[in-house]
Amino acid sequence: MRIEGVLYPQWAIGFAQPFVEKIEFVFKDKYVTSVKGDSRDAQTLREMCLGSRLIEGGGCGFNPKAPRYTVYPAGSNSPGALHFGVDLAKPSDYIRRVMPNWEEPPVHQDLIAFDMTVTAGGEKIIDEGFLVALRDPSVVEMAKRYGDPVELLEGGPA
């Protein structure tokens, strides 16, 4: 499948905190052709990700109890957070250094976006980072069996 466009991830695995700078990733035919930004993080990502190939286009977190702005080695499980996995053109010394015990080889990076809006067929699936399905009446009704649905589905980490 051909994927082209621009992505502004807010965080990535192996980085201690979200990006301060807006870093632009340009995809052409599912390959990273450009990483724009002036920060040290942008420079590291450029060295790591240029020429990498998108293999996961928007894996969505789904756990209402996952912390909202947290990244673990595989993206984010926060409902509505998206991760975009790229296989690197060559192993990353940076990943090897900052995540020496990671179970995956240092040839993969997950770029995470927390606040995207996604529509499909005219319907919002994710609204500014919120997984809309959590407000579907059937989901809310099912959650009522286990307690307060707002607390369970939208109340954040337990």
Side-chain angles (χ1 to χ4, degrees):
M1 176 164 70
R2 199 174 151 157
I3 296 173
E4 296 189 353
V6 176
L7 175 67
Y8 295 95
Q10 293 167 273
W11 209 343
I13 57 169
F15 290 81
Q17 59 192 17
F19 305 134
V20 174
E21 176 186 32
K22 192 173 182 178
I23 301 172
E24 178 182 280
F25 276 72
V26 178
F27 290 88
K28 191 144 188 105
D29 196 22
K30 77 178 152 186
Y31 286 89
V32 176
T33 59
S34 175
V35 178
K36 297 177 184 175
D38 298 320
S39 64
R40 178 178 290 278
D41 289 342
Q43 179 182 346
T44 299
L45 287 163
R46 192 169 23 259
E47 291 169 3
M48 181 189 308
C49 295
L50 271 179
S52 59
R53 181 173 60 93
L54 185 68
I55 62 164
E56 300 172 78
C60 184
F62 54 85
N63 181 352
K65 295 301 178 190
R68 180 72 186 141
Y69 293 100
T70 300
V71 172
Y72 68 98
S76 172
N77 251 343
S78 177
L82 297 174
H83 74 271
F84 298 82
V86 295
D87 274 353
L88 307 178
K90 63 182 193 288
S92 167
D93 289 337
Y94 177 85
I95 297 242
R96 209 177 276 145
R97 214 173 27 258
V98 299
M99 297 177 8
N101 299 318
W102 190 26
E103 65 273 6
E104 293 188 34
V107 293
H108 184 76
Q109 178 57 272
D110 284 317
L111 308 167
I112 296 99
F114 295 101
D115 301 320
M116 294 182 89
T117 295
V118 177
T119 59
E123 297 269 338
K124 280 189 182 176
I125 307 296
I126 299 171
D127 187 12
E128 296 180 12
F130 179 78
L131 185 60
V132 177
L134 294 177
R135 290 192 182 136
D136 182 274
S138 64
V139 173
V140 172
E141 196 57 40
M142 187 178 302
K144 284 180 182 178
R145 297 184 206 168
Y146 304 99
D148 176 12
V150 173
E151 191 279 323
L152 290 170
L153 300 173
E154 299 185 41

